[in-house]
Amino acid sequence: MRTFISADKFFLKSMVKGPGYLEIVGEKFGEYTSELPEEEVTLIDYSGKWIAPGLVDTHIHGYMNHDVMDNDAEGIKVMSDALLSCGVTSFLPTTLTSSKELLRDVAETIGRVHKDVTGAKIQGIYFEGPFFTEEYKGAQNPSYFGDPDIDTFHEWQEASGGIIKKIALAPERKGVEEFVKQVTDEGVVVSLGHSNGTLEDASKAVEAGASVFVHAFNGMRGLNHREPGMVGALLSLHDVFSELICDGHHVHPAAAEVLMEKAGHDHVALITDCMMAGGMPDGNYILGEFPVVVENGTARLQEGNLAGSILKLKEAIKNVVDWGLATPEQAVMMASLVPAVSCKIDDVCGMIKKGRAADFIVLNSDMTLEATYLDGIKRFDASK
């Protein structure tokens, strides 16, 4: 017997349709239709609800008291399962600046277990660093900073089994253009951040192939009328994507609005930058090698600087709608298709499409999460 989902709206790649029906064929999406076939079917009724693609978090360090840098396979699995409650069905476990040896070991661990997780799917690894500069180090340890080294990167990539999808660096470091050209030729996305770089520095890196800016406005030289800096670069350069943390603490809604208007919603990727305290109560935690205090909705180093976030991606899409910065359709796109496209993983996630894995979420009209489905099976139910 064929199975269909009924709902008021379906957020498809190029448009919103509904009311209507979406067929689920085993673990895959079937066709969307406005009418049911004239035969007996199994109907999953979400009347009054909206169906959207599963969210894709392409910058996340930890969740539920586990951190990627713990180098713990079981912790990665806990993160994967717990992220379903955030509406996330695909993610890139994200490293922090650390020793060459630990980064290699972490890459190897994720590479070994990435197909074994049973929750949100690991679609690759994001190396945030270690090729940064100290002025905007954030919660990155500057003792490990250095210039990009292709041999070292290849060691990490080999250890991972070839699943490092993105690496972040500061464009003012030596040898950036050669490194960017090499890794982008190898299919790896380069993002720019934790940087005191100028507009010229960023422009050269983008010309070489870099295409993403790390958590826009944060960890980078700000906009000045005489030197546009990194913020000026992400606002003015073409064909680049910007990560954006919409928790109300990292970026003022007015600044987020400027970015969305200038770059376009289709070039802004909502991310969490979530650390291990996500989903946990307030208290003391660790991010990389630094103590972090979590309270009042923020994660901060002891000196007061923001250190990642405790944001859930389902909250980010609600926030941008509640703030009047995006329509529900745009908000969903910025947390599913755009991050997938920006990291070149849109061939496996980020959209509802016939033949793709039936990874999707059910939203209420106020943008709260009702349920998360993975491979056509309901894995999270907000009512339980």
Side-chain angles (χ1 to χ4, degrees):
M1 188 180 299
R2 297 168 70 183
T3 298
F4 290 83
I5 297 168
S6 67
D8 280 18
K9 292 183 181 180
F10 292 83
F11 292 77
L12 306 178
K13 181 181 178 182
S14 59
M15 68 188 74
V16 176
K17 290 187 175 182
Y21 307 89
L22 178 65
E23 186 170 12
I24 303 297
V25 183
E27 299 180 351
K28 309 289 186 182
F29 289 122
E31 296 275 12
Y32 168 85
T33 179
S34 58
E35 295 182 2
L36 287 174
E38 293 182 358
E39 60 184 89
E40 188 175 356
V41 301
T42 298
L43 187 64
I44 303 171
D45 187 7
Y46 280 114
S47 297
K49 313 290 184 183
W50 304 343
I51 305 299
L55 306 183
V56 181
D57 199 342
T58 54
H59 185 160
I60 177 168
H61 298 282
Y63 196 68
M64 288 299 291
N65 214 30
H66 294 280
D67 189 290
V68 171
M69 297 305 294
D70 292 341
N71 194 28
D72 174 21
E74 293 307 310
I76 295 291
K77 294 176 181 178
V78 170
M79 282 180 61
S80 164
D81 287 328
L83 284 173
L84 296 174
S85 69
C86 303
V88 173
T89 56
S90 288
F91 72 115
L92 297 185
T94 305
T95 64
L96 282 165
T97 293
S98 187
S99 70
K100 173 181 174 180
E101 293 76 21
L102 179 56
L103 287 168
R104 182 191 61 230
D105 292 345
V106 169
E108 183 178 19
T109 296
I110 299 172
R112 188 177 70 251
V113 305
H114 77 284
K115 292 184 178 179
D116 298 332
V117 297
T118 56
K121 298 169 182 175
I122 294 175
Q123 306 292 6
I125 306 172
Y126 177 19
F127 262 52
E128 192 189 5
F131 309 132
F132 293 143
T133 46
E134 191 163 349
E135 293 91 341
Y136 291 93
K137 63 182 184 295
Q140 306 275 343
N141 190 336
S143 65
Y144 300 115
F145 288 171
D147 294 326
D149 180 75
I150 194 66
D151 292 333
T152 299
F153 175 77
H154 284 157
E155 283 186 41
W156 295 331
Q157 186 68 290
E158 183 179 358
S160 77
I163 66 167
I164 298 175
K165 298 292 186 180
K166 181 166 68 165
I167 185 165
L169 51 77
E172 69 268 34
R173 296 220 68 119
K174 293 179 181 178
V176 161
E177 290 176 73
E178 295 80 4
F179 181 87
V180 170
K181 288 176 182 176
Q182 178 72 39
V183 299
T184 53
D185 283 347
E186 295 171 6
V188 177
V189 171
V190 175
S191 54
L192 306 176
H194 288 284
S195 163
N196 194 34
T198 63
L199 173 60
E200 183 180 5
D201 292 328
S203 299
K204 288 180 179 178
V206 169
E207 285 296 319
S211 56
V212 180
F213 284 83
V214 185
H215 41 53
F217 302 104
N218 290 279
M220 61 178 61
R221 183 195 286 231
L223 176 67
N224 181 276
H225 59 292
R226 293 193 178 93
E227 171 45 67
M230 293 289 286
V231 170
L234 66 87
L235 289 173
S236 62
L237 297 180
H238 299 293
D239 301 319
V240 294
F241 295 90
S242 290
E243 301 177 349
L244 189 62
I245 308 171
C246 284
D247 60 356
H249 302 287
H250 280 77
V251 179
H252 191 284
E257 183 176 27
V258 169
L259 174 58
M260 292 177 196
E261 288 185 350
K262 188 67 175 68
H265 293 86
D266 59 346
H267 281 77
V268 176
L270 296 180
I271 53 118
T272 63
D273 197 14
C274 187
M275 48 89 70
M276 68 188 305
M280 300 293 293
D282 287 358
N284 297 311
Y285 297 89
I286 297 290
L287 179 61
E289 301 176 6
F290 298 107
V292 173
V293 177
V294 174
E295 60 184 0
N296 301 320
T298 65
R300 296 182 182 272
L301 298 174
Q302 291 180 335
E303 60 265 31
N305 295 337
L306 287 168
S309 86
I310 53 172
L311 179 67
K312 302 175 178 71
L313 203 50
K314 67 178 181 182
E315 297 169 343
I317 63 171
K318 179 172 171 55
N319 285 343
V320 296
V321 173
D322 289 348
W323 298 341
L325 307 185
T327 65
E329 178 184 9
Q330 290 168 333
V332 166
M333 176 183 67
M334 289 192 292
S336 55
L337 181 61
V338 178
V341 170
S342 74
C343 293
K344 298 181 180 178
I345 54 174
D346 55 306
D347 58 330
V348 290
C349 61
M351 70 183 80
I352 293 173
K353 182 179 180 181
K354 182 180 179 181
R356 289 281 187 93
D359 301 339
F360 64 94
I361 58 175
V362 184
L363 293 171
N364 298 304
S365 59
D366 63 355
M367 294 297 289
T368 55
L369 181 66
E370 175 75 15
T372 303
Y373 281 72
L374 199 71
D375 296 319
I377 304 296
K378 182 159 59 173
R379 294 289 307 280
F380 169 75
D381 188 337
S383 66
K384 295 182 179 178

